[in-house]
Amino acid sequence: MSPDLVRSGVVGRFFTSFDEAWRYFLGRVEPLEWFFGQFPEDEAFVAEGWVFVPPSEIKQAVLELQRAFASLEWLTPVPEHFLHVWLGGATSAGGRPHDLRHSGAFDAVYRRVNCFHSAVVVEVEAPQLRELIVGTQVDPSTFLPHMTIGVTREEHDPRELRRALLPLRNAELGGGKVTELTRIRFPAARTTLLQPWTVIDLVPLPKNG
């Protein structure tokens, strides 16, 4: 989910590594934050950004993981149609991630479940991702490529979720080839978020780089 949509002062600090985020989650005593509270109340509000979409087998593996917290009514599973890896919002010249013309298709690995201040995520590994965010509003020092799979509906004590996620920490979902990047426009108000997005630009990545 887009970190550059977060309003200043609403959420906790960004983490500089996945291990740091996990350690913080394991020791967290304050309530998890309200995910939807990051977004405006205006139902006409929309946002845009660059993403890539995981393959169908990865999405199916996510649906299995989501069963672990299905009983937690205060947690919303991200619907299958909205599963993605976020690369950034506003970009430099041309409105596309940096040096996209020279980017080739690459492999991404989806493994390990983690938890940020208000979202359950799967970590995503691909060295090329850091290069693609140059020129976007994303801070490279806190860029942790991830796929959000669950978000909080309210502030809540983390202990229930911690018990649910501990067995999933080292989950291996698999890998997949990233062959295209997509710029999406999506409803981004508190009451409209997670509805289907609209594709406004799609860039195939050359197979030979």
Side-chain angles (χ1 to χ4, degrees):
M1 189 59 62
S2 161
D4 44 310
L5 293 176
V6 178
R7 296 181 316 200
S8 176
V10 175
V11 300
R13 62 185 176 82
F14 292 133
F15 300 110
T16 57
S17 73
F18 283 120
D19 287 340
E20 179 190 11
W22 183 251
R23 288 194 301 269
Y24 190 87
F25 175 60
L26 291 183
R28 188 177 188 123
V29 293
E30 70 273 22
L32 294 165
E33 294 161 6
W34 176 31
F35 180 83
F36 295 96
Q38 305 170 38
F39 299 89
E41 296 181 5
D42 180 7
E43 293 191 350
F45 183 73
V46 297
E48 295 182 5
W50 284 95
V51 304
F52 66 84
V53 179
S56 58
E57 56 268 27
I58 299 298
K59 290 186 176 184
Q60 289 303 308
V62 168
L63 298 181
E64 291 295 320
L65 290 179
Q66 289 173 334
R67 293 182 180 181
F69 51 81
S71 63
L72 303 181
E73 296 181 354
W74 50 272
L75 201 66
T76 297
V78 174
E80 183 177 354
H81 69 258
F82 207 82
L83 293 171
H84 65 274
V85 178
W86 180 263
L87 295 177
T91 58
S92 56
R96 294 183 172 188
H98 178 71
D99 212 21
L100 192 58
R101 292 171 301 171
H102 305 294
S103 301
F106 58 90
D107 293 310
V109 177
Y110 305 78
R111 61 160 64 105
R112 304 209 305 173
V113 173
N114 209 323
C115 189
F116 295 159
H117 298 290
S118 60
V120 180
V121 305
V122 169
E123 301 174 14
V124 180
E125 300 175 8
Q128 295 86 343
L129 293 179
R130 192 164 296 276
E131 299 176 7
L132 288 175
I133 67 165
V134 175
T136 73
Q137 292 179 340
V138 176
D139 181 354
S141 69
T142 56
F143 176 59
L144 302 179
H146 65 276
M147 175 173 50
T148 300
I149 66 172
V151 295
T152 54
R153 296 179 182 175
E154 61 188 46
E155 293 185 356
H156 205 282
D157 184 288
R159 286 177 291 184
E160 289 179 303
L161 184 58
R162 195 152 48 222
R163 287 193 293 268
L165 298 188
L166 275 170
L168 305 179
R169 172 57 178 158
N170 294 314
E172 297 278 349
L173 281 69
K177 183 76 71 175
V178 179
T179 60
E180 62 186 22
L181 303 181
T182 307
R183 187 169 180 86
I184 61 172
R185 179 181 295 124
F186 55 97
R190 293 180 185 179
T191 57
T192 62
L193 195 65
L194 304 183
Q195 294 181 9
W197 62 54
T198 299
V199 174
I200 58 176
D201 196 2
L202 192 150
V203 180
L205 300 180
K207 293 182 179 181
N208 295 324

